[in-house]
Amino acid sequence: MSWRVLGFESSCDETGVALVEVPAAGPPRLLAQALHSQIELHQDYGGVVPELASRDHIRRALPLARSVLQEAALALRDLDAIAYTQGPGLAGALLVGAGVAVSLAAALDKPSIAVHHLEGHLLSPFLSSDPPDFPFVCLLVSGGHTQLMRVDGVGRYELLGETIDDAAGEAFDKSAKLLGLPYPGGPHLAKLAEKGRKDAFPLPRPLLHSGNLDFSFAGLKTAVLTQSRKLEASEGSRADLAASTQAAIVEVLLKKSMAALKMTGLQRLVVAGGVGANRSLREQLQRACDRRGVRLHFPELALCTDNGAMIALAAAMRWQAGLACASKAASFEVRPRWPLAEI
Ligand code: KG4
Ligand code: ZN
């Protein structure tokens, strides 16, 4: 039996809708996907405005679903289930995706499946052109999360370490803001860093030698603030500070990932989440993994950042593994704060 699942992602500032098919044998297939990013909507405010995000998800969800079905040349009756991100994320934004998905499922008399956003990120590499095999270490680096996980199979996740304050993406975004760069800062800071010297400013590498796999990035932001006050307004020194900031974040992510591989004895590393788009991180991880004979998987960029495909996929894989909480109840709740360990 194969499963066709329509998935809705609406946990933050991207409305993602996608249709995934998981056949009884063979790898899962992405049949169609559509995404609307709210970057422009929030740009003037320097960050995500939750109420604006919720209202925009309302406007986008159904038109995106229509275009996905059209692209796949399928009708609503061809779906087996409707999935949605139940959490973690912004409460109002989550309610939109959950409300749309559960109502649609009830109208079609099909089950709905609630998905944990981070499980979506963890499993997203299975849709990439170079899917991993279990088990692997996953470095999950997004705007809201920085975690190292041991992944042994669907639903078998062990948290090895995580940030005790800011996420890596947040460190990029907040430092970028201090450098006067627009939201979302990560890609802008990375671009400016290309023109700078990474050893120009002494910045801390928090918890680098802590002996565990936890991260901390709040202190780095403070150090960037202190250094940014010393800057003359020349482009050169701003680029140097951007390069030094990126180097500090990347070094910590790199060393902790290598420590996680050593600790688990695993030979496979998967990078997921938006910061996985960072070129310096990708290049340095690749070099370090090559040296150790470790297989490194980077999903395509569109799968690293938030999307509907990972939600449809996680639902279908859980369902296939007999794990999913497929439900025909016409009620739902969202979980804005939801540790992955609780699924
Ligand atoms: O996974 P994601 O799209 O959304 C969340 O679940 O948070 O990650 C977004 C984060 C933002 O902090 C953004 O600045 C960062 O990923 N990001 C980058 C790059 N592209 C996106 N950070 C550094 N370099 C990049 N090239
Ligand atoms: Zn995410």
Side-chain angles (χ1 to χ4, degrees), residues 9 11-14 88 117-118 121 140-145 167-174 176 183-191 246 249 272-281 301 303-307 310:
E9 154 61 30
S11 65
C12 189
D13 56 355
E14 253 124 20
H117 182 83
L118 296 186
H121 276 302
L140 176 58
V141 270
S142 70
H145 296 88
E170 241 174 319
F172 268 106
D173 294 342
K174 288 178 177 172
Y183 153 88
H188 291 281
L189 188 144
K191 192 152 187 286
Q246 176 172 270
I249 299 171
V275 181
N278 186 270
R279 215 171 72 193
S280 172
L281 177 68
L301 292 188
L303 285 172
C304 281
T305 48
D306 287 351
N307 63 82
M310 67 185 199

Side-chain angles (χ1 to χ4, degrees), residues 20-23 25-30 123 126-128 131 313 316-317 320:
V20 165
E21 184 174 58
V22 178
R29 287 199 310 140
L30 177 59
L123 297 177
F126 287 95
L127 280 178
S128 77
L313 175 79
M317 287 178 81
Q320 194 181 37

